[in-house]
Coordinates of all heavy atoms in Angstrom, one line a residue:
M1 N 0.9 -1.2 0.0 CA 0.0 0.0 0.0 C 0.9 1.3 0.0 O 1.9 1.3 0.6 CB -0.9 0.0 1.2 CG -1.7 1.3 1.4 SD -2.9 1.2 2.6 CE -4.2 0.6 1.6
R2 N 0.4 2.2 -0.7 CA 1.2 3.5 -0.9 C 0.6 4.6 0.1 O -0.7 4.7 0.1 CB 1.2 4.0 -2.3 CG 1.9 3.0 -3.2 CD 1.8 3.5 -4.6 NE 1.9 5.0 -4.6 CZ 2.2 5.7 -5.7 NH1 2.4 5.1 -6.8 NH2 2.3 6.9 -5.6
T3 N 1.4 5.4 0.6 CA 0.9 6.5 1.4 C 1.6 7.7 0.8 O 2.8 7.8 0.7 CB 1.4 6.4 2.9 OG1 0.9 5.1 3.4 CG2 0.8 7.5 3.7
E4 N 0.8 8.6 0.3 CA 1.3 9.9 -0.3 C 0.9 11.1 0.5 O -0.1 11.2 1.1 CB 0.7 10.0 -1.7 CG 1.3 8.9 -2.6 CD 0.8 9.1 -4.0 OE1 0.6 10.2 -4.5 OE2 0.7 8.1 -4.8
L5 N 1.9 12.1 0.5 CA 1.7 13.4 1.1 C 1.8 14.3 0.0 O 2.4 14.1 -1.0 CB 2.7 13.6 2.2 CG 2.8 12.6 3.3 CD1 4.0 12.9 4.2 CD2 1.5 12.7 4.1
P6 N 1.2 15.5 0.1 CA 1.3 16.5 -0.9 C 2.6 16.9 -1.3 O 3.5 17.1 -0.5 CB 0.5 17.6 -0.3 CG -0.4 17.1 0.8 CD 0.4 15.9 1.3
G7 N 2.9 16.8 -2.6 CA 4.4 17.1 -3.1 C 5.4 16.0 -2.9 O 6.5 16.3 -3.1
Q8 N 4.9 14.9 -2.4 CA 5.9 13.8 -2.2 C 5.5 12.5 -2.9 O 4.3 12.4 -3.2 CB 6.0 13.5 -0.7 CG 6.7 14.5 0.1 CD 6.9 14.1 1.5 OE1 6.1 13.2 2.0 NE2 7.8 14.7 2.1
L9 N 6.4 11.7 -3.3 CA 6.2 10.4 -3.9 C 5.9 9.4 -2.7 O 5.9 9.8 -1.6 CB 7.3 10.0 -4.8 CG 7.4 10.8 -6.1 CD1 8.7 10.3 -6.8 CD2 6.2 10.6 -7.0
A10 N 5.7 8.2 -3.2 CA 5.4 7.1 -2.2 C 6.4 7.0 -1.1 O 7.5 7.2 -1.3 CB 5.2 5.8 -3.0
L11 N 5.9 6.8 0.1 CA 6.8 6.6 1.3 C 7.2 5.2 1.5 O 8.0 4.9 2.3 CB 6.1 7.2 2.5 CG 5.8 8.7 2.5 CD1 5.1 9.1 3.7 CD2 7.1 9.5 2.3
C12 N 6.5 4.3 0.8 CA 6.9 2.9 1.0 C 7.5 2.3 -0.3 O 7.5 3.0 -1.4 CB 5.6 2.1 1.4 SG 4.3 2.1 0.2
M13 N 8.0 1.1 -0.2 CA 8.6 0.5 -1.4 C 7.5 -0.1 -2.3 O 6.5 -0.6 -1.9 CB 9.5 -0.7 -1.0 CG 10.6 -0.2 0.0 SD 11.6 1.1 -0.8 CE 12.6 0.0 -2.0
V14 N 7.7 0.0 -3.7 CA 6.9 -0.6 -4.7 C 7.5 -1.7 -5.4 O 8.7 -1.6 -5.7 CB 6.5 0.5 -5.7 CG1 5.7 0.0 -6.8 CG2 5.7 1.7 -5.0
L15 N 6.8 -2.8 -5.5 CA 7.5 -4.0 -6.1 C 7.3 -4.0 -7.6 O 6.2 -3.8 -8.1 CB 6.7 -5.3 -5.5 CG 7.2 -6.6 -6.1 CD1 8.7 -6.8 -5.8 CD2 6.4 -7.8 -5.6
V16 N 8.4 -4.2 -8.3 CA 8.4 -4.3 -9.7 C 8.9 -5.7 -10.0 O 9.9 -6.1 -9.6 CB 9.2 -3.2 -10.4 CG1 9.3 -3.5 -11.9 CG2 8.8 -1.8 -10.1
L17 N 8.1 -6.5 -10.7 CA 8.4 -7.9 -11.0 C 9.0 -8.0 -12.4 O 8.4 -7.6 -13.3 CB 7.2 -8.8 -10.8 CG 7.4 -10.2 -11.1 CD1 8.4 -10.9 -10.1 CD2 6.0 -10.9 -11.1
V18 N 10.1 -8.7 -12.6 CA 10.7 -9.0 -13.8 C 10.6 -10.5 -14.1 O 11.2 -11.2 -13.3 CB 12.2 -8.6 -13.9 CG1 12.8 -8.9 -15.3 CG2 12.3 -7.1 -13.6
D19 N 9.9 -10.9 -15.1 CA 9.6 -12.3 -15.3 C 10.4 -12.6 -16.6 O 10.0 -12.3 -17.7 CB 8.1 -12.5 -15.5 CG 7.7 -13.9 -15.6 OD1 8.5 -14.8 -15.2 OD2 6.5 -14.2 -15.9
V20 N 11.5 -13.3 -16.5 CA 12.3 -13.7 -17.6 C 11.7 -14.9 -18.2 O 11.7 -16.1 -17.6 CB 13.8 -14.1 -17.2 CG1 14.6 -14.4 -18.4 CG2 14.4 -12.8 -16.4
V21 N 11.1 -14.8 -19.5 CA 10.4 -15.8 -20.1 C 11.2 -16.7 -21.0 O 10.9 -17.9 -21.2 CB 9.2 -15.3 -20.9 CG1 8.1 -14.7 -19.9 CG2 9.6 -14.3 -21.9
R22 N 12.4 -16.2 -21.4 CA 13.4 -17.0 -22.1 C 14.7 -16.2 -22.1 O 14.6 -15.0 -21.8 CB 12.9 -17.3 -23.5 CG 12.8 -16.2 -24.5 CD 12.5 -16.7 -25.9 NE 12.7 -15.6 -26.8 CZ 11.7 -15.1 -27.5 NH1 10.5 -15.6 -27.5 NH2 11.9 -14.2 -28.4
P23 N 15.8 -16.8 -22.3 CA 17.0 -16.0 -22.3 C 16.9 -14.8 -23.3 O 16.6 -15.0 -24.4 CB 18.1 -17.0 -22.7 CG 17.5 -18.3 -22.4 CD 16.0 -18.2 -22.6
G24 N 17.2 -13.6 -22.8 CA 17.2 -12.4 -23.6 C 15.9 -11.7 -23.7 O 15.7 -10.8 -24.4
R25 N 14.8 -12.2 -23.0 CA 13.5 -11.6 -23.1 C 12.8 -11.6 -21.7 O 12.7 -12.7 -21.1 CB 12.7 -12.3 -24.1 CG 11.4 -11.6 -24.3 CD 10.6 -12.3 -25.4 NE 9.5 -11.6 -25.8 CZ 9.4 -10.8 -26.9 NH1 10.5 -10.8 -27.7 NH2 8.3 -10.2 -27.2
A26 N 12.3 -10.5 -21.2 CA 11.6 -10.4 -20.0 C 10.4 -9.5 -20.0 O 10.5 -8.5 -20.8 CB 12.6 -10.0 -18.9
L27 N 9.4 -9.8 -19.3 CA 8.2 -9.0 -19.1 C 8.3 -8.3 -17.7 O 8.6 -9.0 -16.8 CB 7.0 -9.8 -19.2 CG 6.8 -10.6 -20.6 CD1 5.6 -11.5 -20.5 CD2 6.8 -9.7 -21.7
V28 N 8.0 -7.0 -17.6 CA 8.1 -6.3 -16.4 C 6.6 -5.8 -16.1 O 6.0 -5.3 -16.9 CB 9.0 -5.1 -16.6 CG1 9.1 -4.3 -15.3 CG2 10.4 -5.5 -17.1
T29 N 6.3 -6.1 -14.8 CA 5.0 -5.6 -14.3 C 5.1 -4.9 -12.9 O 5.9 -5.3 -12.1 CB 3.9 -6.8 -14.2 OG1 4.5 -7.8 -13.4 CG2 3.7 -7.4 -15.6
C30 N 4.2 -4.0 -12.8 CA 4.0 -3.4 -11.5 C 2.5 -3.3 -11.3 O 1.8 -2.4 -11.8 CB 4.6 -2.0 -11.4 SG 4.4 -1.1 -9.9
G31 N 1.9 -4.2 -10.4 CA 0.5 -4.2 -10.2 C 0.0 -3.0 -9.4 O -1.1 -2.5 -9.6
E32 N 0.8 -2.5 -8.5 CA 0.4 -1.4 -7.7 C 0.1 -0.1 -8.5 O -0.8 0.6 -8.2 CB 1.4 -1.0 -6.7 CG 1.5 -2.1 -5.5 CD 2.5 -1.7 -4.4 OE1 2.3 -0.6 -3.9 OE2 3.4 -2.5 -4.2
L33 N 0.9 0.1 -9.4 CA 0.8 1.4 -10.2 C 0.3 1.1 -11.7 O 0.2 2.0 -12.5 CB 2.1 2.1 -10.3 CG 2.6 2.6 -9.0 CD1 3.9 3.4 -9.1 CD2 1.6 3.6 -8.3
D34 N 0.0 -0.2 -12.0 CA -0.5 -0.5 -13.2 C 0.3 -0.1 -14.5 O -0.2 0.6 -15.4 CB -2.0 0.0 -13.4 CG -2.6 -0.7 -14.6 OD1 -2.4 -1.9 -14.8 OD2 -3.6 -0.2 -15.2
F35 N 1.6 -0.5 -14.4 CA 2.5 -0.2 -15.6 C 3.3 -1.5 -15.8 O 3.4 -2.3 -15.0 CB 3.3 1.0 -15.4 CG 4.5 0.9 -14.4 CD1 5.7 0.3 -14.8 CD2 4.4 1.4 -13.1 CE1 6.7 0.1 -13.9 CE2 5.4 1.3 -12.3 CZ 6.6 0.7 -12.7
G36 N 3.8 -1.5 -17.0 CA 4.6 -2.7 -17.4 C 5.4 -2.4 -18.6 O 5.4 -1.3 -19.2
G37 N 6.1 -3.4 -19.0 CA 7.0 -3.2 -20.3 C 7.7 -4.5 -20.6 O 7.4 -5.5 -20.1
E38 N 8.6 -4.4 -21.5 CA 9.3 -5.5 -22.0 C 10.8 -5.1 -22.1 O 11.2 -4.0 -22.4 CB 8.8 -5.8 -23.3 CG 9.2 -7.3 -23.8 CD 8.4 -7.6 -25.1 OE1 7.6 -6.9 -25.5 OE2 8.8 -8.7 -25.7
I39 N 11.7 -6.1 -21.8 CA 13.1 -5.9 -21.9 C 13.7 -7.1 -22.8 O 13.5 -8.1 -22.6 CB 13.8 -6.0 -20.6 CG1 13.2 -5.0 -19.6 CG2 15.3 -5.8 -20.7 CD1 13.7 -5.1 -18.2
V40 N 14.3 -6.6 -23.9 CA 14.8 -7.6 -24.9 C 16.2 -7.4 -25.2 O 16.7 -6.2 -25.3 CB 14.0 -7.4 -26.3 CG1 14.4 -8.4 -27.3 CG2 12.4 -7.5 -26.0
L41 N 17.0 -8.5 -25.2 CA 18.4 -8.4 -25.6 C 18.6 -8.0 -27.0 O 18.0 -8.5 -27.9 CB 19.1 -9.7 -25.3 CG 20.5 -9.8 -25.5 CD1 21.3 -8.9 -24.5 CD2 21.1 -11.2 -25.3
D42 N 19.5 -7.0 -27.1 CA 19.9 -6.5 -28.5 C 21.4 -6.8 -28.6 O 22.2 -5.9 -28.3 CB 19.6 -5.0 -28.6 CG 19.9 -4.5 -30.0 OD1 20.1 -5.2 -30.9 OD2 19.9 -3.2 -30.1
K43 N 21.7 -8.0 -29.1 CA 23.2 -8.4 -29.0 C 24.1 -7.5 -29.7 O 25.2 -7.2 -29.2 CB 23.3 -9.9 -29.6 CG 22.7 -10.9 -28.7 CD 23.0 -12.3 -29.3 CE 22.5 -13.3 -28.3 NZ 22.9 -14.6 -28.8
Y44 N 23.8 -7.1 -30.9 CA 24.7 -6.2 -31.7 C 23.8 -5.0 -32.2 O 23.7 -4.9 -33.4 CB 25.3 -7.0 -32.8 CG 26.1 -8.1 -32.3 CD1 25.6 -9.4 -32.4 CD2 27.3 -7.9 -31.8 CE1 26.3 -10.5 -31.9 CE2 28.1 -9.0 -31.3 CZ 27.6 -10.2 -31.4 OH 28.3 -11.3 -30.9
G45 N 23.3 -4.3 -31.4 CA 22.5 -3.1 -31.7 C 23.1 -1.9 -32.2 O 24.3 -1.9 -32.6
A46 N 22.4 -0.9 -32.4 CA 22.8 0.3 -33.0 C 24.0 1.0 -32.3 O 24.7 1.8 -32.8 CB 21.6 1.3 -33.2
T47 N 24.1 0.7 -31.0 CA 25.1 1.4 -30.2 C 26.4 0.7 -30.5 O 27.5 1.4 -30.1 CB 24.8 1.2 -28.7 OG1 24.8 -0.2 -28.3 CG2 23.5 1.8 -28.3
G48 N 26.5 -0.4 -31.0 CA 27.8 -1.1 -31.2 C 28.3 -1.9 -30.0 O 29.3 -2.5 -30.2
R49 N 27.7 -1.6 -28.9 CA 28.0 -2.4 -27.7 C 27.3 -3.7 -27.7 O 26.2 -3.8 -28.1 CB 27.7 -1.6 -26.5 CG 28.4 -0.3 -26.3 CD 28.2 0.4 -25.1 NE 26.8 0.3 -24.6 CZ 26.1 1.1 -23.9 NH1 26.7 2.3 -23.7 NH2 24.9 0.9 -23.5
R50 N 28.0 -4.7 -27.1 CA 27.4 -6.0 -27.0 C 26.5 -6.2 -25.8 O 26.8 -5.5 -24.7 CB 28.5 -7.1 -26.9 CG 29.3 -7.2 -28.2 CD 30.2 -8.3 -28.2 NE 29.5 -9.6 -28.1 CZ 29.8 -10.7 -27.5 NH1 31.0 -10.8 -27.0 NH2 29.1 -11.8 -27.5
D51 N 25.6 -7.0 -25.8 CA 24.7 -7.4 -24.7 C 24.1 -6.2 -24.0 O 24.2 -6.0 -22.8 CB 25.5 -8.3 -23.7 CG 26.0 -9.5 -24.3 OD1 25.4 -10.0 -25.2 OD2 27.0 -10.0 -23.8
V52 N 23.3 -5.4 -24.9 CA 22.6 -4.3 -24.3 C 21.1 -4.6 -24.4 O 20.7 -5.2 -25.5 CB 22.9 -3.0 -25.1 CG1 22.0 -1.8 -24.6 CG2 24.3 -2.6 -24.9
Y53 N 20.3 -4.3 -23.4 CA 18.8 -4.6 -23.4 C 18.1 -3.4 -23.9 O 18.4 -2.2 -23.5 CB 18.4 -5.0 -22.1 CG 19.0 -6.3 -21.6 CD1 20.2 -6.4 -20.9 CD2 18.3 -7.5 -22.0 CE1 20.6 -7.7 -20.5 CE2 18.8 -8.7 -21.5 CZ 20.0 -8.8 -20.8 OH 20.5 -10.0 -20.4
V54 N 17.1 -3.6 -24.8 CA 16.2 -2.6 -25.2 C 15.0 -2.6 -24.2 O 14.4 -3.7 -24.0 CB 15.8 -2.8 -26.6 CG1 14.7 -1.7 -27.0 CG2 17.0 -2.7 -27.6
V55 N 14.6 -1.4 -23.7 CA 13.5 -1.3 -22.7 C 12.3 -0.7 -23.5 O 12.5 0.4 -24.1 CB 14.0 -0.6 -21.5 CG1 12.8 -0.6 -20.5 CG2 15.2 -1.2 -20.9
E56 N 11.2 -1.4 -23.5 CA 10.0 -0.9 -24.2 C 8.8 -0.8 -23.3 O 8.7 -1.6 -22.3 CB 9.6 -1.9 -25.3 CG 10.8 -2.1 -26.4 CD 10.3 -3.1 -27.4 OE1 9.3 -3.8 -27.3 OE2 11.1 -3.2 -28.4
S57 N 8.0 0.2 -23.6 CA 6.8 0.3 -22.9 C 5.7 0.7 -23.9 O 5.8 1.7 -24.6 CB 6.8 1.4 -21.7 OG 5.6 1.5 -21.1
E58 N 4.6 0.0 -23.9 CA 3.5 0.2 -24.9 C 4.0 0.3 -26.3 O 3.6 1.2 -27.1 CB 2.7 1.4 -24.5 CG 2.0 1.3 -23.1 CD 1.3 2.5 -22.6 OE1 1.2 3.4 -23.4 OE2 0.8 2.4 -21.5
G59 N 4.9 -0.5 -26.7 CA 5.4 -0.5 -28.1 C 6.4 0.6 -28.4 O 6.9 0.6 -29.6
E60 N 6.8 1.4 -27.5 CA 7.8 2.4 -27.6 C 9.1 2.1 -26.9 O 9.1 1.7 -25.8 CB 7.2 3.8 -27.1 CG 8.1 4.9 -27.1 CD 7.4 6.2 -26.4 OE1 6.3 6.2 -26.1 OE2 8.2 7.1 -26.3
V61 N 10.2 2.3 -27.6 CA 11.5 2.2 -27.0 C 11.7 3.4 -26.1 O 11.7 4.5 -26.5 CB 12.6 2.0 -28.1 CG1 14.0 2.0 -27.4 CG2 12.4 0.8 -28.8
I62 N 11.9 3.1 -24.8 CA 12.2 4.2 -23.9 C 13.7 4.3 -23.4 O 14.0 5.3 -22.7 CB 11.3 4.1 -22.6 CG1 11.6 2.8 -21.8 CG2 9.8 4.1 -23.0 CD1 10.9 2.9 -20.4
G63 N 14.4 3.4 -23.8 CA 15.8 3.4 -23.4 C 16.6 2.1 -23.5 O 16.0 1.1 -24.0
R64 N 17.8 2.1 -23.1 CA 18.6 0.9 -23.1 C 19.2 0.7 -21.7 O 19.4 1.6 -20.9 CB 19.7 1.0 -24.1 CG 19.2 1.2 -25.6 CD 20.3 1.2 -26.5 NE 19.8 1.3 -27.9 CZ 19.4 0.2 -28.6 NH1 19.6 -1.0 -28.1 NH2 18.9 0.3 -29.8
A65 N 19.4 -0.6 -21.4 CA 19.9 -0.9 -20.0 C 20.9 -2.1 -20.2 O 20.9 -2.8 -21.1 CB 18.9 -1.4 -19.1
R66 N 21.7 -2.2 -19.2 CA 22.8 -3.2 -19.2 C 22.4 -4.5 -18.5 O 23.1 -5.5 -18.5 CB 24.1 -2.8 -18.5 CG 24.8 -1.8 -19.3 CD 26.1 -1.3 -18.7 NE 26.6 -0.2 -19.5 CZ 27.7 0.4 -19.2 NH1 28.4 0.0 -18.0 NH2 28.2 1.3 -19.9
S67 N 21.2 -4.5 -17.8 CA 20.7 -5.6 -17.1 C 19.1 -5.5 -17.0 O 18.6 -4.5 -17.3 CB 21.3 -5.8 -15.7 OG 20.8 -4.7 -14.9
Y68 N 18.5 -6.7 -16.6 CA 17.1 -6.7 -16.4 C 16.7 -5.7 -15.3 O 15.7 -5.0 -15.4 CB 16.6 -8.1 -16.1 CG 16.7 -9.1 -17.2 CD1 17.3 -10.3 -16.9 CD2 16.1 -8.8 -18.4 CE1 17.3 -11.3 -18.0 CE2 16.1 -9.8 -19.4 CZ 16.8 -11.0 -19.3 OH 16.9 -11.9 -20.2
R69 N 17.5 -5.7 -14.2 CA 17.3 -4.9 -13.1 C 17.3 -3.4 -13.4 O 16.5 -2.6 -13.1 CB 18.3 -5.2 -12.0 CG 18.0 -4.5 -10.7 CD 19.0 -4.9 -9.5 NE 18.9 -6.4 -9.3 CZ 17.9 -6.9 -8.6 NH1 16.9 -6.2 -8.1 NH2 17.9 -8.3 -8.5
E70 N 18.4 -3.0 -14.2 CA 18.5 -1.7 -14.6 C 17.3 -1.3 -15.5 O 16.8 -0.2 -15.4 CB 19.8 -1.5 -15.4 CG 20.1 0.0 -15.7 CD 21.4 0.1 -16.4 OE1 22.5 -0.5 -16.0 OE2 21.5 0.9 -17.4
G71 N 16.8 -2.2 -16.3 CA 15.7 -1.9 -17.2 C 14.5 -1.7 -16.4 O 13.6 -0.9 -16.7
A72 N 14.2 -2.5 -15.3 CA 13.1 -2.4 -14.5 C 13.1 -0.9 -13.8 O 12.1 -0.3 -13.7 CB 13.1 -3.5 -13.4
Y73 N 14.3 -0.5 -13.3 CA 14.4 0.8 -12.7 C 14.1 1.9 -13.7 O 13.4 2.9 -13.4 CB 15.8 1.1 -12.2 CG 16.1 0.3 -10.9 CD1 17.2 -0.5 -10.7 CD2 15.2 0.5 -9.8 CE1 17.5 -1.1 -9.5 CE2 15.5 -0.2 -8.6 CZ 16.6 -0.9 -8.4 OH 16.8 -1.6 -7.3
L74 N 14.5 1.7 -15.0 CA 14.2 2.7 -16.0 C 12.7 2.8 -16.3 O 12.2 3.9 -16.3 CB 14.9 2.3 -17.3 CG 14.8 3.2 -18.5 CD1 15.4 4.5 -18.2 CD2 15.5 2.6 -19.7
L75 N 12.0 1.7 -16.3 CA 10.6 1.7 -16.4 C 9.9 2.4 -15.3 O 9.0 3.2 -15.4 CB 10.0 0.3 -16.6 CG 10.1 -0.3 -18.0 CD1 9.9 -1.8 -18.0 CD2 9.0 0.4 -18.9
A76 N 10.4 2.1 -14.1 CA 9.8 2.7 -12.8 C 10.0 4.2 -12.8 O 9.0 5.0 -12.6 CB 10.4 2.1 -11.6
E77 N 11.1 4.6 -13.2 CA 11.5 6.1 -13.3 C 10.6 6.7 -14.3 O 10.1 7.8 -14.2 CB 12.9 6.3 -13.6 CG 13.8 5.9 -12.4 CD 15.3 6.0 -12.7 OE1 15.7 6.1 -13.9 OE2 16.1 5.9 -11.8
R78 N 10.3 6.1 -15.4 CA 9.5 6.6 -16.5 C 8.0 6.9 -16.0 O 7.3 7.7 -16.5 CB 9.5 5.6 -17.7 CG 8.4 5.8 -18.7 CD 9.0 6.8 -19.8 NE 8.0 7.0 -20.8 CZ 8.3 7.2 -22.0 NH1 9.5 7.2 -22.4 NH2 7.3 7.2 -22.9
N79 N 7.7 6.0 -15.0 CA 6.3 6.2 -14.4 C 6.4 6.9 -13.1 O 5.4 6.8 -12.3 CB 5.7 4.8 -14.2 CG 5.4 4.2 -15.5 OD1 4.3 4.4 -16.1 ND2 6.2 3.3 -16.2
G80 N 7.4 7.8 -12.8 CA 7.4 8.6 -11.7 C 8.0 8.1 -10.4 O 7.8 8.8 -9.4
L81 N 8.6 7.0 -10.4 CA 9.1 6.4 -9.2 C 10.6 6.5 -9.1 O 11.3 6.1 -10.0 CB 8.8 4.9 -9.0 CG 7.3 4.6 -8.8 CD1 7.1 3.1 -8.9 CD2 6.9 5.0 -7.5
P82 N 11.2 7.1 -8.1 CA 12.6 7.1 -7.9 C 13.2 5.7 -7.5 O 12.4 4.9 -7.0 CB 12.9 8.1 -6.8 CG 11.6 8.0 -5.9 CD 10.5 7.7 -7.0
R83 N 14.4 5.4 -7.9 CA 15.0 4.1 -7.6 C 14.9 3.7 -6.2 O 14.7 2.5 -5.8 CB 16.5 4.1 -8.1 CG 16.7 4.0 -9.5 CD 18.2 3.9 -9.8 NE 18.4 3.9 -11.2 CZ 19.0 3.0 -11.8 NH1 19.6 2.0 -11.1 NH2 19.2 3.0 -13.2
S84 N 15.0 4.8 -5.3 CA 15.0 4.4 -3.9 C 13.7 3.9 -3.4 O 13.6 3.3 -2.3 CB 15.4 5.7 -3.1 OG 14.5 6.7 -3.4
S85 N 12.6 4.0 -4.1 CA 11.3 3.5 -3.7 C 10.9 2.2 -4.5 O 9.7 1.8 -4.3 CB 10.2 4.6 -3.8 OG 10.0 4.8 -5.2
V86 N 11.8 1.6 -5.1 CA 11.5 0.5 -6.0 C 12.2 -0.8 -5.5 O 13.4 -0.7 -5.3 CB 11.8 0.7 -7.5 CG1 11.6 -0.5 -8.3 CG2 11.0 1.9 -8.0
T87 N 11.5 -1.9 -5.4 CA 12.1 -3.2 -5.1 C 11.9 -4.0 -6.4 O 10.7 -4.2 -6.8 CB 11.5 -3.9 -3.9 OG1 11.6 -3.0 -2.8 CG2 12.0 -5.3 -3.7
V88 N 13.0 -4.5 -6.9 CA 12.9 -5.3 -8.2 C 13.1 -6.8 -7.7 O 14.1 -7.1 -7.1 CB 14.0 -4.9 -9.1 CG1 14.0 -5.8 -10.3 CG2 13.8 -3.5 -9.5
E89 N 12.2 -7.6 -8.2 CA 12.2 -9.0 -8.0 C 12.4 -9.7 -9.4 O 11.4 -9.4 -10.2 CB 11.0 -9.5 -7.3 CG 11.1 -10.8 -6.6 CD 9.9 -11.1 -5.6 OE1 9.8 -10.3 -4.6 OE2 9.2 -11.9 -6.0
I90 N 13.3 -10.6 -9.6 CA 13.5 -11.2 -10.9 C 13.3 -12.7 -10.7 O 13.8 -13.4 -9.8 CB 15.0 -11.0 -11.4 CG1 15.2 -9.5 -11.6 CG2 15.1 -11.8 -12.7 CD1 16.6 -9.2 -11.9
E91 N 12.3 -13.2 -11.6 CA 12.0 -14.7 -11.7 C 12.4 -15.2 -13.1 O 12.1 -14.5 -14.1 CB 10.6 -14.9 -11.4 CG 10.1 -14.5 -10.0 CD 8.6 -14.8 -9.8 OE1 7.9 -15.1 -10.7 OE2 8.2 -14.4 -8.6
H92 N 12.9 -16.4 -13.1 CA 13.2 -17.0 -14.3 C 12.2 -18.1 -14.6 O 12.1 -19.1 -13.8 CB 14.6 -17.6 -14.3 CG 15.7 -16.6 -14.3 ND1 16.2 -16.0 -15.4 CD2 16.3 -15.9 -13.2 CE1 17.1 -15.2 -15.1 NE2 17.1 -15.1 -13.7
E93 N 11.3 -18.0 -15.6 CA 10.2 -18.9 -15.8 C 10.5 -20.0 -16.8 O 9.8 -21.0 -17.0 CB 9.0 -18.1 -16.4 CG 8.4 -17.2 -15.4 CD 7.8 -17.9 -14.2 OE1 7.3 -19.0 -14.4 OE2 7.9 -17.4 -13.1
Y94 N 11.7 -19.9 -17.6 CA 12.0 -20.9 -18.6 C 12.8 -21.9 -18.0 O 13.4 -21.8 -16.9 CB 12.7 -20.2 -19.7 CG 14.1 -19.6 -19.4 CD1 15.2 -20.4 -19.5 CD2 14.2 -18.3 -18.9 CE1 16.4 -19.9 -19.1 CE2 15.4 -17.8 -18.5 CZ 16.5 -18.5 -18.7 OH 17.7 -18.0 -18.4
K95 N 12.9 -23.1 -18.6 CA 13.7 -24.2 -18.2 C 14.8 -24.4 -19.2 O 14.7 -24.5 -20.4 CB 12.9 -25.5 -18.1 CG 11.8 -25.4 -17.0 CD 11.1 -26.7 -16.8 CE 10.1 -26.3 -15.7 NZ 9.3 -27.4 -15.4
V96 N 16.0 -24.6 -18.6 CA 17.2 -24.8 -19.5 C 17.4 -26.3 -19.6 O 17.4 -27.0 -18.5 CB 18.4 -24.2 -18.8 CG1 19.6 -24.5 -19.6 CG2 18.3 -22.7 -18.6
C97 N 17.5 -26.8 -20.8 CA 17.6 -28.3 -21.0 C 19.1 -28.7 -21.2 O 19.8 -27.9 -21.7 CB 16.8 -28.7 -22.2 SG 15.1 -28.4 -22.0

């Protein structure tokens, strides 16, 4: 539950869940604030750097990140939450054979 005061953001932590559905692809959700997005590995993207993730929200690229966690923080910041009020939980849903 969030407690807000005039002119301040949430005083408690907000959970952002990163669900890795397969290597290089994750879905991000935040039930409390009803936002989400997708993080996709761009192995040799436009930046020329290796292993950079593209962070998307509602079909729009909002930035790049070096990890799933960093991508989740980017999505949270895009929705008005500072990093200090976000808890990121990462789950791996795929099975490695």
Side-chain angles (χ1 to χ4, degrees):
M1 173 171 269
R2 295 176 38 165
T3 305
E4 293 188 27
L5 300 174
Q8 292 184 336
L9 290 174
L11 296 175
C12 64
M13 301 302 285
V14 175
L15 178 64
V16 176
L17 180 63
V18 178
D19 192 9
V20 182
V21 293
R22 69 174 191 246
R25 186 180 190 98
L27 303 176
V28 181
T29 56
C30 178
E32 289 185 57
L33 297 179
D34 196 31
F35 72 82
E38 192 170 356
I39 302 172
V40 181
L41 182 63
D42 184 15
K43 285 187 179 179
Y44 301 100
T47 63
R49 296 187 323 215
R50 293 188 63 210
D51 298 334
V52 174
Y53 293 91
V54 175
V55 183
E56 300 175 352
S57 179
E58 298 178 4
E60 176 187 349
V61 174
I62 63 165
R64 296 184 179 275
R66 293 185 184 177
S67 68
Y68 292 128
R69 185 172 306 278
E70 187 179 317
Y73 283 129
L74 184 63
L75 277 165
E77 288 171 349
R78 168 83 177 217
N79 287 278
L81 291 171
R83 283 181 184 239
S84 60
S85 69
V86 175
T87 298
V88 177
E89 201 170 287
I90 299 175
E91 295 182 358
H92 295 268
E93 294 293 323
Y94 65 91
K95 294 187 178 176
V96 179
C97 297

